[in-house]
Amino acid sequence: SQTIHQWPATLVQPVGSPLSLECTVEGTSNPNLYWYRQAAGRGLQLLFYSVGIGQISSEVPQNLSASRPQDRQFILSSKKLLLSDSGFYLCAATGTDATYGYTFGSGTRLTVV
Amino acid sequence: AQSVTQPDIHITVSEGASLELRCNYSYGATPYLFWYVQSPGQGLQLLLKYFSGDTLVQGIKGFEAEFKRSQSSFNLRKPSVHWSDAAEYFCAVIAGGFKTIFGAGTRLFVKA
């Protein structure tokens, strides 16, 4: 089974500062990887997904970016954070067959001040 | 376009009472359907999934869900709710490709 390690758990950053959130996956090779954002009291918004190293698809145009430097590593970044970037960020993974469902990380609570 | 609707933003049930959380989807063919649960400040955990076959599927923690094609629904049920079931529940669908569409969630409150 898959295990996702996501860190940090909480983060408070000033507006205009950079961001780097990291996610690593254990227990599977060549996973599909996803970054979701969950605003307070709202559902999940898919930000990025990746089907392989260096392959990133963006779902929502914004000041965030993602990278996949290794098979089981997925990074969410920003050069300059906005207040609207505050939220709960979740990394998720599936095997190459996504129909078996997602495994989620424990999330990062980002507050931009 | 594919979509998932959870009509109830929040539901309150008494401990020991039965529970049904509603989910409706929009998709032309039979989708892959899922229910996830999220405790406060945590990631989501898969409760159960439906691909094909028996329309009543069993999941973890005593939950079950029934797929009804005629109603485009996949409602989640539990016969007796425990206080530890208080959480947010998300219905989700894969409708082509490998991206999952999530509903907005239903927050469950359990009263003693």
Side-chain angles (χ1 to χ4, degrees), chain B residues 18-100:
Chain B
S18 63
L19 170 70
E20 183 169 27
L21 302 181
R22 296 184 292 166
C23 172
N24 294 97
Y25 67 90
S26 172
Y27 184 58
T30 301
Y32 295 90
L33 294 159
F34 306 82
W35 275 99
Y36 291 84
V37 60
Q38 184 182 31
S39 297
Q42 298 297 314
L44 281 71
Q45 181 184 20
L46 180 65
L47 284 176
L48 48 77
K49 56 195 174 191
Y50 171 77
F51 295 160
S52 63
D54 192 347
T55 56
L56 184 64
V57 294
Q58 303 296 320
I60 62 171
K61 305 185 179 186
F63 286 92
E64 66 180 25
E66 185 172 13
F67 170 62
K68 292 185 177 180
R69 184 190 305 274
S70 61
Q71 300 177 19
S72 297
S73 69
F74 188 56
N75 294 349
L76 182 71
R77 301 195 294 246
K78 187 170 185 178
S80 178
V81 170
H82 187 262
W83 64 266
S84 60
D85 293 324
E88 188 149 22
Y89 292 81
F90 292 91
C91 182
V93 59
I94 295 179
F98 50 82
K99 290 186 289 182
T100 299

Side-chain angles (χ1 to χ4, degrees), chain A residues 54-73:
Chain A
Q55 301 178 61
I56 308 295
S57 296
S58 173
E59 290 294 298
V60 183
Q62 54 200 326
N63 70 318
L64 298 172
S65 63
S67 62
R68 185 170 177 176
Q70 300 180 40
D71 180 47
R72 286 177 266 184
Q73 184 184 28

Side-chain angles (χ1 to χ4, degrees), chain A residues 70-85:
Chain A
Q70 300 180 40
D71 180 47
R72 286 177 266 184
Q73 184 184 28
F74 204 25
I75 298 172
L76 182 69
S77 303
S78 174
K79 292 182 179 178
K80 290 185 177 182
L81 283 169
L82 306 173
L83 288 174
S84 57
D85 292 324

